[in-house]
Amino acid sequence: ITMMTHQRASLLLALLIGSALSFAPSPHTTNRIVTLRRIQQSQTILNAGGFEWEDPTSDEADPGVENPYKNPSLLKSTDGDDSLKVDPARLLSPRLRGCNLYFIGMMGSGKSTVGDLVARRMGTYNFLDTDTILERAAGMSIPEVFEAEGEEAFRVAEAQVLDSVHAHVRIVVSTGGGLVMRNQNWSKLQTGLVVYLKVDPEVIMKRIEGTDRPLLQTENPLETLQKLTEERKERYEQADVTVEIEEGMSVEDVADKCVRALHDFIDDN
């Protein structure tokens, strides 16, 4: 590794710590590990989303919020409308109790777009994209990093980004497609909930046709994408939640599907 060494690592950390996103580290690092059991301690009551619950920003609070998809009282009954009174994503935030969400999947699967929308809808979570952070730290685009430094240097820098990001709470993180292949990265991802956006390679190619993505600069990009998908399949399928995306689904549809799957996962765990 040449340019992507101490100077850029220092710049990367400075960007993270001084980021305008203003996400705060947990005062108790051990609480970063997923803990979905209720702890009835805090009595601070807030009005949010049309309901009362204990302070969702407290690591010791029991939000007392149920799965809105399974609670008939949260459904409208007028005119036979079964749409929810409140955004289920807003109710997801207190149920997670600060636990981070990590979106994984192949390039072009929609991790950044969907992750950003989910974070915005949750209200109390910030969104981070590991590729964007890396580009800012390196002062180069991802294709430029690959060309100047090679894939191995990129993967090392990518791991440094994740190492810095995972120490914070209440964030939704979009990760690079190949990040899952390093064991050290999985240990970081497992401190939160991992969401796999599963998209067929053929659908992805329609989205990113003509792309400058480094790994697809081959004679047969679709074949390369299919091979990469198969190589990463075992890791992707270790995610806590898998969301299958069909051609034609909107970003809003995918975000809805993610939110519902996360509520169900919390119920089951």
Side-chain angles (χ1 to χ4, degrees):
I1 301 171
T2 54
M3 290 186 293
M4 300 288 288
T5 53
H6 300 293
Q7 183 179 1
R8 290 214 167 120
S10 298
L11 176 58
L12 181 151
L13 292 174
L15 283 169
L16 286 172
I17 297 171
S19 172
L21 291 175
S22 301
F23 50 86
S26 169
H28 306 293
T29 56
T30 56
N31 285 345
R32 293 200 303 266
I33 300 177
V34 181
T35 305
L36 300 177
R37 295 189 302 272
R38 296 184 174 182
I39 305 174
Q40 299 186 3
Q41 294 180 9
S42 171
Q43 296 300 317
T44 304
I45 303 297
L46 301 179
N47 290 310
F51 298 88
E52 291 187 344
W53 52 53
E54 296 169 2
D55 184 358
T57 65
S58 169
D59 289 328
E60 298 180 344
D62 172 18
V65 179
E66 298 179 0
N67 186 337
Y69 297 100
K70 298 179 180 179
N71 188 342
S73 68
L74 301 182
L75 298 177
K76 291 182 179 179
S77 57
T78 59
D79 300 325
D81 185 1
D82 286 338
S83 62
L84 296 173
K85 295 179 181 178
V86 295
D87 187 344
R90 185 72 64 167
L91 302 182
L92 179 62
S93 181
R95 298 193 78 200
L96 287 171
R97 298 179 59 251
C99 173
N100 293 338
L101 297 179
Y102 295 97
F103 280 80
I104 66 172
M106 289 297 296
M107 62 184 85
S109 61
K111 301 183 296 290
S112 297
T113 306
V114 174
D116 183 45
L117 179 57
V118 169
R120 290 176 183 275
R121 287 174 53 181
M122 288 173 69
T124 60
Y125 272 56
N126 288 305
F127 173 74
L128 292 173
D129 186 318
T130 58
D131 281 351
T132 299
I133 295 173
L134 195 155
E135 287 180 329
R136 291 176 180 173
M140 296 185 288
S141 67
I142 298 301
E144 289 172 336
V145 172
F146 266 79
E147 183 177 357
E149 307 291 346
E151 183 177 359
E152 179 61 24
F154 170 79
R155 297 302 177 194
V156 171
E158 184 179 55
Q160 289 178 321
V161 173
L162 181 63
D163 190 52
S164 297
V165 166
H166 100 283
H168 299 271
V169 296
R170 300 182 193 92
I171 52 176
V172 176
V173 183
S174 169
T175 66
L179 180 142
V180 298
M181 299 305 289
R182 285 180 173 247
N183 291 332
Q184 67 187 84
N185 293 338
W186 261 113
S187 67
K188 308 297 189 308
L189 297 177
Q190 290 173 340
T191 64
L193 290 182
V194 182
V195 181
Y196 169 34
L197 298 186
K198 185 177 182 180
V199 189
D200 289 338
E202 292 76 12
V203 175
I204 291 178
M205 280 307 304
K206 291 181 181 179
R207 295 179 177 180
I208 63 175
E209 190 171 1
T211 181
D212 62 351
R213 296 175 189 255
L215 296 180
L216 296 186
Q217 303 309 303
T218 62
E219 292 184 2
N220 191 331
L222 175 58
E223 184 178 298
T224 301
L225 187 63
Q226 291 170 331
K227 182 179 179 181
L228 286 171
T229 302
E230 185 62 29
E231 289 174 353
R232 299 170 180 177
K233 179 180 178 182
E234 183 177 354
R235 286 298 179 91
Y236 285 152
E237 292 180 348
Q238 293 179 36
D240 299 299
V241 171
T242 296
V243 176
E244 296 191 9
I245 302 174
E246 300 174 0
E247 186 174 7
M249 289 181 67
S250 68
V251 175
E252 290 75 15
D253 290 339
V254 178
D256 286 341
K257 198 169 182 179
C258 291
V259 170
R260 182 160 194 160
L262 285 164
H263 273 296
D264 291 342
F265 178 84
I266 292 172
D267 283 351
D268 295 339
N269 293 272

